[in-house]
Amino acid sequence: MSIVTRRAVVHLRALLLVFCVAFGHAASGQSLFVIPTDSPTGPGVADEQPLLVSLHLREPAALAKVLDVPAPVAGADVLRYVMQDYPAISPGTKRAWSEPSFVVDYLDPSVTALGREFATARAESGAVGPPTPGDLVRFVHGVIRGSRDRGLDVASEIAAIRLGDCKNYAVLTVALARAAGVPARVVFGIVLLRFDTRYGAYGHAWAEVLVDGRWVAADAALTAEHARVRYLPFGVLENEGMGYALDAARLTPVWVQRVEVLGAASTGSPLPQSPRTGVPRFVLR
Amino acid sequence: MCRTTVALRVFWKLPCQSGLDRAEARPRGERLLAVVPLGLALVAGAAHAAAPEPQWLVDARAKEGVLVAPHLVTSADKSISFSVPAPMTGALAEDKDAYTAVLTLAPGITGECVILKTDVDPAAFLRATARITFTDTIEKVHGKIEMRAVEHVDAGMAGPTPYLSASWIYRANDGTGARIGGLRQYVGRHAGHSTYCALNDIGYAETFAKVALAVIGSLKASDDPPAPYFEEISVVSIGDARVGFGSIEMHRDADGDTKSVENEAMIVPGGAGEPQTFDSVTTAWVTPAGALINLKKVSVNNGEVEINLDLQHAQDTGWVLSGKFKSKDVQAALPAAAPSTWVTQTNLRRELLARESPIGAEAVRTDWLSANPGEFTTTTVKVLAAIDANSYLVRETFGPASMDLAVDRKSGQSFRGTMEMGPVKVTATRVFVRGSP
């Protein structure tokens, strides 16, 4: 491999840096990977309101496909999108998302031991049935100590060291969910956080847990840090083997490079419907 | 044939913690500036506009010293020498781990350069020494570090030596008020020697850069190993920020086989707190025809070994991968194949570009990538366009990733590569080449 090529391949692992907010310190981060964000002037948009954004990226049509929304016109480098409900995204492969893997090695003794702690904690709180996303988030948030010293670790190592950033929160959440029989997966995307009237977008990773046939976000890294976190997932960690770092490069075309927050979106009629989720789409006021 | 194992030094275990401990025995309080309620404005992220700096800080940053004519410094045992354009404060000190030079930048202002007797991982070393400096020295003198952040990182060449640097800003509070300070670090590594220079001051940036790079770039050691027959160094940038370097050295043994040693180091500011660092060494043995004999890869992330893998040829079954990957023991059989080497890749590109109409020409090869170590990856090489009369744009696509290379038609060597990774563009640019592979 030529030296300049190897430089980049070696640093594919560094790409995984892109995927994390500095848990609770997003406002003070000087990261190279903060996503430039333009905020509208004037009064802010209530967190409950749908928010219209322009997403600048290399292949907007590819992201539109992932998010199951109409593609922009050919040649556009922007995708207009309304952030409101958590979107359902399609992975490229069909799988059960319940199997152990190199990254999600939930059969390892360190993970099973933590799983027993989790089960005990739930039993003591009177919980019954399979764990909910809330159960998982609370437990993992209490177990892991935030640290930017880690890359993406495998679940058994996370269970042992109990350290990490958003990626490790996500991997451990997925491992504990699968260990309890609940399908789960690691997703990558961005989060949009509001600071008064201004917004900041950051790369992030979190878990999705399958509940009643719907993928639900389970983010143990950003729990009560902000009144409202708007999520935009754009990819699933498909390759949970040793090639996970190379797999992350698959997301490059849909990586959002700049976010323009345009303002509140209204529910004018008629509402375009998503064929997959049935979630109403909103049009600009 | 010698098949040595390259193990990276993890600085935590290095007995020599640089000369900073000794240096900090001298009072440095006067170099911290007046109490200011500066807060986090200096390191505000994209969501908040950074406040303009107060004039006193602008003035403090602008301070510079006066350089003198470069003079040669030689250790008492004649083992090392370097040239530096700043007066020495005292003699070059030596202990079992390092030589230490205290250099005067301006009246009352000194920086320090430490020439280590052992090799270090440059990026991890910067991170580790910063941590030690903050906790073991600055905090003890100036009070609790309330905030620290990397303001700037850089990478480049000083003479024949690649270097990394990091500039920190910090706020310390000893209970009487907050003070703002700066820490500048440079580390260079070449031919088995590492040089570390540091300054604890918010000013004198250019003066110290010239002094540090002069020491790093002019260092000569009596035990320098034989020069490689081929050497290449590139600088890695993320966007416009130079964040790392890579080098390759090739040596031939008595059998005619080539041992190539590739080093990489990268430091990435990651928000408030510490930067992320990556260091790696890849050692490969290659036959005169360019066929891979074996390979060893060691990667260190934030000072911790993340990958330590050997790829060995197995006579009957193809290849065997063994070692550690992300804390797990790995033992895997890879199919019979001819994984590419630096030589075969260069030859492949040269063959494509030697065609009468190279644009559109395409070929595939098999790579072993540490980003996907459990299997071989098929890489497609395609000539996209001519850059000028002597070079072409070539795209190499490996799995879901691709990189665009500027390739010299005659040699097949690439001198610049660009790869989009998520929201950022990573560029590796060749800055030094000597010999012929």
Side-chain angles (χ1 to χ4, degrees):
Chain A
M1 174 139 295
S2 77
I3 189 166
V4 291
T5 309
R6 192 186 290 282
R7 292 292 87 75
V9 173
V10 162
H11 299 135
L12 277 170
R13 285 187 304 284
L15 165 65
L16 293 170
L17 288 175
V18 173
F19 294 118
C20 269
V21 167
F23 28 80
H25 300 289
S28 60
Q30 199 195 18
S31 169
L32 286 167
F33 303 119
V34 169
I35 297 166
T37 307
D38 299 325
S39 299
T41 56
V45 178
D47 289 335
E48 297 72 27
Q49 276 190 280
L51 192 67
L52 183 67
V53 295
S54 277
L55 306 170
H56 296 250
L57 68 158
R58 205 169 84 185
E59 295 184 16
L63 181 58
K65 189 176 178 185
V66 169
L67 295 169
D68 192 26
V69 296
V73 294
D77 63 352
V78 172
L79 175 66
R80 284 199 167 194
Y81 181 73
V82 174
M83 300 184 81
Q84 187 189 31
D85 300 309
Y86 185 77
I89 61 170
S90 292
T93 56
K94 288 189 181 300
R95 55 200 281 189
W97 302 104
S98 57
E99 69 282 11
S101 62
F102 182 84
V103 173
V104 186
D105 54 344
Y106 67 77
L107 298 179
D108 186 275
S110 61
V111 183
T112 55
L114 195 60
R116 283 194 294 274
E117 277 185 45
F118 180 39
T120 302
R122 291 189 69 237
E124 288 172 351
S125 68
V128 293
T132 67
D135 294 339
L136 288 158
V137 164
R138 278 188 294 278
F139 183 77
V140 173
H141 185 74
V143 163
I144 297 184
R145 185 161 55 85
S147 167
R148 307 205 73 174
D149 284 354
R150 313 296 306 180
L152 187 153
D153 291 314
V154 299
S156 56
E157 188 166 20
I158 302 166
I161 62 172
R162 303 191 178 192
L163 281 175
D165 61 17
C166 68
K167 300 179 289 292
N168 281 7
Y169 282 90
V171 169
L172 188 63
T173 302
V174 168
L176 292 175
R178 288 188 192 175
V182 178
R185 61 192 188 183
V186 176
V187 296
F188 297 120
I190 62 170
V191 286
L192 189 68
L193 308 180
R194 183 173 62 79
F195 307 94
D196 297 324
T197 60
R198 298 185 66 79
Y199 291 89
Y202 304 87
H204 196 43
W206 59 92
E208 282 186 350
V209 177
L210 195 62
V211 179
D212 297 330
R214 287 186 63 234
W215 288 107
V216 176
D219 184 1
L222 282 177
T223 52
E225 306 287 355
H226 302 276
R228 174 74 185 258
V229 182
R230 296 178 193 259
Y231 289 90
L232 182 72
F234 50 62
V236 177
L237 182 66
E238 301 253 16
N239 183 347
E240 295 176 0
M242 285 195 285
Y244 68 87
L246 187 59
D247 184 57
R250 185 175 41 80
L251 303 178
T252 291
V254 294
W255 249 106
V256 174
Q257 300 183 343
R258 188 160 72 86
V259 177
E260 281 181 87
V261 179
L262 300 175
S266 70
T267 55
S269 182
L271 301 177
Q273 298 286 314
S274 162
R276 185 189 304 146
T277 65
V279 175
R281 299 296 171 194
F282 297 89
V283 294
L284 184 61
R285 185 179 298 172
Chain B
M1 285 183 292
C2 173
R3 300 292 177 262
T4 52
T5 295
V6 176
L8 291 175
R9 294 296 303 269
V10 178
F11 179 68
W12 311 113
K13 296 170 184 167
L14 193 66
C16 169
Q17 303 290 346
S18 90
L20 282 169
D21 291 348
R22 296 183 294 279
E24 286 300 326
R26 292 185 294 277
R28 296 209 169 183
E30 70 275 12
R31 276 172 241 148
L32 278 180
L33 297 165
V35 177
V36 284
L38 197 59
L40 283 170
L42 285 171
V43 289
H48 299 294
E53 294 187 344
Q55 191 58 42
W56 65 263
L57 183 55
V58 174
D59 293 343
R61 285 185 189 272
K63 283 184 183 173
E64 293 294 345
V66 178
L67 298 174
V68 300
H71 58 100
L72 189 68
V73 177
T74 304
S75 62
D77 62 3
K78 312 290 185 197
S79 291
I80 63 150
S81 65
F82 56 85
S83 180
V84 61
M88 292 264 292
T89 302
L92 185 67
E94 182 191 356
D95 62 23
K96 65 182 174 57
D97 300 309
Y99 301 89
T100 303
V102 179
L103 299 155
T104 302
L105 308 178
I109 304 295
T110 56
E112 200 163 67
C113 284
V114 181
I115 295 98
L116 299 158
K117 295 181 179 179
T118 51
D119 226 354
V120 298
D121 308 335
F125 191 87
L126 279 186
R127 189 175 191 268
T129 47
R131 175 181 287 184
I132 291 163
T133 305
F134 281 120
T135 58
D136 288 7
T137 59
I138 294 175
E139 274 202 336
K140 286 179 179 169
V141 177
H142 302 302
K144 183 176 173 52
I145 301 291
E146 296 180 326
M147 178 279 292
R148 66 186 194 217
V150 173
E151 280 198 296
H152 181 68
V153 297
D154 194 17
M157 292 286 289
T161 304
Y163 72 88
L164 277 182
S165 76
S167 295
W168 296 75
I169 189 165
Y170 62 87
R171 187 178 65 205
N173 193 329
D174 61 2
T176 62
R179 294 155 184 251
I180 301 299
L183 174 66
R184 300 184 194 285
Q185 303 174 286
Y186 288 82
V187 65
R189 181 190 196 215
H190 187 61
H193 297 280
S194 296
T195 304
Y196 174 72
C197 297
L199 169 68
N200 180 20
D201 201 297
I202 200 139
Y204 307 94
E206 286 186 24
T207 307
F208 185 62
K210 286 174 181 167
V211 169
L213 295 180
V215 175
I216 289 170
S218 65
L219 179 69
K220 288 188 170 39
S222 58
D223 61 348
D224 275 348
Y229 73 84
F230 176 72
E231 184 177 14
E232 183 183 295
I233 296 171
S234 62
V235 168
V236 176
S237 302
I238 294 179
D240 295 329
R242 297 188 299 185
V243 297
F245 65 78
S247 66
I248 185 168
E249 293 182 1
M250 293 186 184
H251 297 264
R252 219 171 256 127
D253 71 359
D255 298 336
D257 295 330
T258 289
K259 175 190 177 187
S260 69
V261 181
E262 295 182 51
N263 283 280
E264 292 116 8
M266 187 166 86
I267 183 165
V268 181
E274 294 180 324
Q276 303 276 319
T277 62
F278 301 85
D279 297 273
S280 72
V281 176
T282 308
T283 306
W285 279 94
V286 177
T287 68
L292 181 68
I293 299 169
N294 60 36
L295 177 152
K296 181 169 189 66
K297 172 92 189 181
V298 181
S299 281
V300 173
N301 182 4
N302 294 332
E304 188 171 315
V305 176
E306 187 178 55
I307 295 175
N308 188 350
L309 291 173
D310 288 279
L311 185 65
Q312 301 278 343
H313 193 243
Q315 208 64 24
D316 301 321
T317 58
W319 296 85
V320 173
L321 181 74
S322 60
K324 288 253 185 193
F325 184 79
K326 300 296 297 183
S327 78
K328 288 190 179 185
D329 291 326
V330 170
Q331 185 80 25
L334 278 70
S340 66
T341 64
W342 203 94
V343 175
T344 59
Q345 290 176 18
T346 304
N347 289 345
L348 179 65
R349 285 194 295 265
R350 193 169 55 217
E351 287 164 16
L352 287 175
L353 296 178
R355 295 183 186 180
E356 195 172 335
S357 301
I359 295 173
E362 195 172 325
V364 294
R365 63 168 197 251
T366 300
D367 289 338
W368 181 83
L369 306 177
S370 62
N372 187 25
E375 56 191 272
F376 290 125
T377 300
T378 299
T379 296
T380 303
V381 183
K382 184 173 184 179
V383 182
L384 297 183
I387 297 172
D388 54 36
N390 301 314
S391 57
Y392 281 79
L393 183 65
V394 174
R395 175 164 296 167
E396 297 194 346
T397 303
F398 33 96
S402 65
M403 183 167 200
D404 288 343
L405 303 173
V407 179
D408 176 66
R409 183 176 196 175
K410 193 175 172 187
S411 68
Q413 295 175 33
S414 56
F415 52 89
R416 186 176 61 251
T418 304
M419 183 178 186
E420 287 191 33
M421 297 202 306
V424 298
K425 185 176 282 188
V426 178
T427 304
T429 305
R430 187 171 71 187
V431 294
F432 178 82
V433 62
R434 181 165 56 193
S436 178

